[in-house]
DNA sequence: ATCTTTGTTAACCAAATGGTTAAACCATAT
DNA sequence: ATATGGTTTAACCATTTGGTTAACAAAGAT
C-alpha cells in the first residue's frame, strides 16, 4: 500500500467518523502511521484531502444506484434489487450515508459540484418508467417522485440515523443488524404491496 | 429577551447550522450581539451550551411523538396524524432533524443520557397496539418495529437529507416544499395501503 | 450616600490546529 | 561512489479557538 493510499484510508476513517470540522489532521496522520507533513505533501491541505474522500464516497454510492435503476427490469424488480443490494453495501460501509448527508447539509455550496459529476445518480429514466407502468395499469397512480423518495427513505434512513433509531426503538447492535437484514426484503414488500394493482 | 435567551437562540442557530465541532463561540457571540465572555458567564463552556441547545431540540421532538403514539386512536389514525403533524412541525424547524441525527452519530456516548430522559419517545405502547390489531385481523402481519421504522424513515429522511434529495431529484426549494406538503398525506396513504387487509 | 451583588466588556492567555521548512533518507541513474 | 530526484521526518510557525481575568457599570440593599 502506497503512502498516499495509507493516508487516504486513514482520512476516510477519520472524516467519516468525525466529519470535516471535527476531523484533525494529526489524528489522520496517526491513523495512517505517518508524519503529519506527509498529508500536506500528498494532498496539499485539509480541504483537498476531504474532497478526495468525499468524492470517492459519493462515487461509490452513485453508479450502483444508476446501474440498477437504468437496467431493463420492471419497476417491481428494480425496487427489490435496489433495496437488497443497497442495504448489503451499506452494512459493510455503515458510515457512508450519514457522512455524505452530513457534509452535504453542512456545505450546501459544495453540493453543486456533484450535480455535474458524471456519476451523479440520474433518476429520470426510472421516473419515466414508473409513469409508463402507471399508464399501463401495472402500478396504482402515485407521483413517481414520491415513490422514489419513499424507497430512498426506507432504505437509507435507518443507517443515516442509526444512533437515534437504536436509542428510540431500544436495539442492540446485533438486533439493529438483524433488522437491517430483514429490511433487505421487507422494504420492497411494503412498497410493492402498496402500489401493485 | 434576557441575555441568556439571546445567547441560547444564537447558539441554536449556529449549532444547528454548523454542528458542535464546526460552531465557533465567537460566531455565537456575534449572532447574539454580545461579548464572548458572556457565553462563559451564562453557560460555563461550549459543551454545556451545546447540551442545553441539543436537549431543547430533542425535547421538542420527543413529546410530540409520544402524544400521538400514546393516544386512543387506531393505528391508521395515528399514522395519519403523526405524519401530518410531524411534517408541519419540521417544515418550520428544518434544521432540527439533521442536527439531532448528526450529533447523535458524532457523540454516541452522548446518546445514553437521553435513554433515561423523561421525555424520551417511547414506542412500546404503539408496538403493542400494532400487534393487537394484527391479531385482530385489522392489519396484515408485519414486524411492528419494521412498520414503525418505515413510518419514521419516510417522514424524517427527506428533511435529514434535504440537500442530497434536492440534488438527486433536482428540486428547487419551492418544489421541495411542495413535495413535503404532499407527503403530509401521501406517506400515510402508502403505508396504510400496504398494511390494510 | 455607599456597599454589594449581578451583568458586561476589552484585553489577554494557553492550548490546539493547519500548515511550513529545512534537513535527512533512500532508491536509482550515471 | 556519488549525484539526483522523490520521499519522509522533526521541529517550527502563525493563527485560531475556547476560556480567563480584571476592570467597569448598573441596580438593589443598607
Amino acid at each position: 500500500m502506497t503512502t498516499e493510499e495509507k493516508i487516504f484510508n486513514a482520512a476516510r476513517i477519520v472524516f467519516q467518523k468525525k466529519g470535516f470540522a471535527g476531523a484533525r489532521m494529526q489524528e489522520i496522520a496517526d491513523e495512517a502511521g505517518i508524519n503529519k507533513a506527509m498529508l500536506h505533501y500528498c494532498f496539499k491541505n485539509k480541504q483537498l484531502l476531504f474532497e478526495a474522500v468525499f468524492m470517492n464516497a459519493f462515487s461509490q454510492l452513485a453508479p450502483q444506484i444508476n446501474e440498477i435503476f437504468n437496467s431493463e427490469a420492471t419497476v417491481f424488480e428494480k425496487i427489490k434489487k435496489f433495496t437488497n443490494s443497497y442495504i448489503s453495501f451499506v452494512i459493510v460501509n455503515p458510515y457512508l450515508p450519514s457522512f455524505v448527508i452530513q457534509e452535504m447539509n453542512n456545505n450546501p455550496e459544495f453540493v453543486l459540484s456533484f450535480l455535474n459529476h458524471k456519476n451523479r445518480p440520474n433518476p429520470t429514466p426510472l421516473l419515466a418508467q414508473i409513469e409508463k407502468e402507471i399508464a399501463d395499469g401495472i402500478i396504482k397512480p402515485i407521483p413517481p417522485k414520491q415513490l422514489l423518495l419513499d424507497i430512498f427513505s426506507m432504505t437509507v434512513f435507518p443507517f443515516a440515523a442509526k444512533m437515534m433509531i437504536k436509542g428510540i426503538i431500544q436495539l442492540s447492535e446485533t438486533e439493529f443488524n438483524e433488522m437491517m437484514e430483514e429490511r433487505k426484503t421487507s422494504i420492497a414488500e411494503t412498497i410493492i404491496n402498496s402500489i401493485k394493482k
Side-chain angles (χ1 to χ4, degrees), chain A residues 80-164:
Chain A
K80 284 181 200 164
K81 204 170 166 202
F82 169 72
T83 51
N84 193 319
S85 77
Y86 195 91
I87 291 178
S88 300
F89 172 75
V90 173
I91 280 176
V92 296
N93 298 274
Y95 281 114
L96 263 190
S98 57
F99 171 66
V100 171
I101 288 167
Q102 175 176 158
E103 298 305 332
M104 286 186 98
N105 282 329
N106 287 350
N107 305 302
E109 64 292 357
F110 197 63
V111 173
L112 297 171
S113 46
F114 291 95
L115 298 184
N116 303 326
H117 191 273
K118 65 178 182 346
N119 281 329
R120 180 178 80 81
N122 176 18
T124 317
L126 178 64
L127 292 173
Q129 186 184 8
I130 293 171
E131 271 176 3
K132 182 175 176 306
E133 294 199 10
I134 290 173
D136 291 350
I138 301 169
I139 301 177
K140 282 185 193 166
I142 182 176
K145 286 182 180 177
Q146 296 284 3
L147 174 57
L148 186 61
L149 189 46
D150 290 342
I151 297 166
F152 269 125
S153 299
M154 292 208 274
T155 310
V156 182
F157 182 72
F159 297 95
K162 179 171 176 178
M163 283 303 142
M164 192 168 130

